[in-house]
């Protein structure tokens, strides 16, 4: 009827049967319908698995596909998050466009995905006054999620959240 966009599952099924169709174009209408069309943008690896499952092993897993976003530069990978800590309650999931950064490049106030020991956190990073070796991880949904305090030295890897796309519940 044209009232709603298609679901991610339907887009995945269409692309599985018609691999020449671009998944991003199906979901957003942005870019080119056919993957074979030449363009000047970046194709970003996409992993539909939940962020906590994929990040510790990402180097060992092939992406499910590639996303083309014409005006999004500097993104290394797209992963899915089901976290309620950083989303509105109407979100079923969020696609995170993230860039790997060195731990020394983490800037207070920005959103990051952090691998701390074997736990993955997506939060806003704040410094702890008087203790430069500790970070306070702050959720957007502060009513339901408490701040998390971590030692900076326990951070194994860090990715800066460049952008995100909410997947709303239907």
């Amino acid at each position: 009827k044209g009232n709603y966009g298609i679901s991610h599952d339907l887009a995945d099924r269409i692309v599985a049967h018609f691999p020449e169709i671009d998944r991003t174009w199906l979901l957003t209408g942005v870019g080119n319908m056919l993957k074979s069309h030449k363009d000047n943008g970046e194709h970003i690896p996409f992993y539909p698995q939940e962020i906590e499952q994929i990040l510790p092993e990402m180097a060992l897993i092939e992406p499910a596909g590639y996303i083309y976003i014409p005006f999004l530069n500097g993104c290394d990978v797209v992963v899915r998050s089901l976290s309620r800590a950083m989303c509105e309650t109407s979100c079923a999931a969020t696609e995170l466009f993230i860039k790997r950064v060195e731990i020394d490049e983490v800037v207070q106030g920005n959103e990051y995905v952090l691998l701390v020991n074997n736990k993955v956190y997506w939060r806003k990073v704040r410094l702890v006054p008087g203790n430069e070796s500790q970070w306070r991880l702050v959720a957007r949904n502060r009513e339901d999620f408490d701040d998390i305090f971590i030692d900076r030295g326990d951070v194994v890897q860090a990715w800066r959240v460049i952008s995100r796309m909410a997947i709303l519940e239907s």
Side-chain angles (χ1 to χ4, degrees):
K1 294 180 182 178
N3 296 333
Y4 304 102
I6 67 171
S7 71
H8 284 264
D9 291 334
L10 179 57
D12 290 341
R13 285 186 279 167
I14 291 171
V15 171
H17 289 287
F18 302 100
E20 69 276 7
I21 301 292
D22 185 77
R23 183 178 186 277
T24 302
W25 177 82
L26 278 172
L27 291 170
T28 66
V30 175
N32 300 301
M33 182 179 87
L34 300 177
K35 288 182 181 179
S36 62
H37 187 277
K38 300 290 184 206
D39 54 58
N40 295 326
E42 293 182 40
H43 285 81
I44 307 163
F46 169 69
Y47 296 87
Q49 298 93 336
E50 211 282 324
I51 194 170
E52 290 184 3
Q53 298 169 357
I54 193 72
L55 283 183
E57 309 175 339
M58 193 164 37
L60 306 173
I61 301 171
E62 288 293 319
Y66 294 85
I67 295 179
Y68 170 70
I69 307 276
F71 302 107
L72 185 66
N73 294 325
C75 178
D76 293 333
V77 67
V78 180
V79 293
R80 182 166 292 163
S81 175
L82 304 176
S83 172
R84 296 282 183 206
M86 296 298 286
C87 298
E88 303 298 326
T89 56
S90 61
C91 287
T94 304
E95 304 287 344
L96 295 177
F97 297 78
I98 59 177
K99 176 178 182 54
R100 176 93 184 265
V101 296
E102 296 298 322
I103 296 164
D104 292 339
E105 297 174 323
V106 171
V107 176
Q108 172 178 267
N110 289 335
E111 288 181 19
Y112 290 89
V113 174
L114 302 172
L115 179 60
V116 182
N117 298 324
N118 286 324
K119 183 84 172 140
V120 176
Y121 298 103
W122 167 30
R123 298 284 194 281
K124 200 173 266 196
V125 172
R126 300 277 187 207
L127 300 178
V128 175
N131 188 350
E132 293 181 16
S133 66
Q134 219 178 33
W135 289 344
R136 179 170 53 108
L137 307 181
V138 180
R140 183 174 287 221
N141 177 357
R142 297 190 77 189
E143 292 178 15
D144 298 326
F145 294 89
D146 293 330
D147 292 352
I148 299 168
F149 292 86
I150 62 167
D151 287 325
R152 182 175 182 245
D154 291 338
V155 178
V156 178
Q157 292 179 351
W159 293 266
R160 183 165 179 257
V161 177
I162 303 295
S163 185
R164 55 188 171 144
M165 179 173 61
I167 302 168
L168 302 177
E169 293 179 348
S170 54

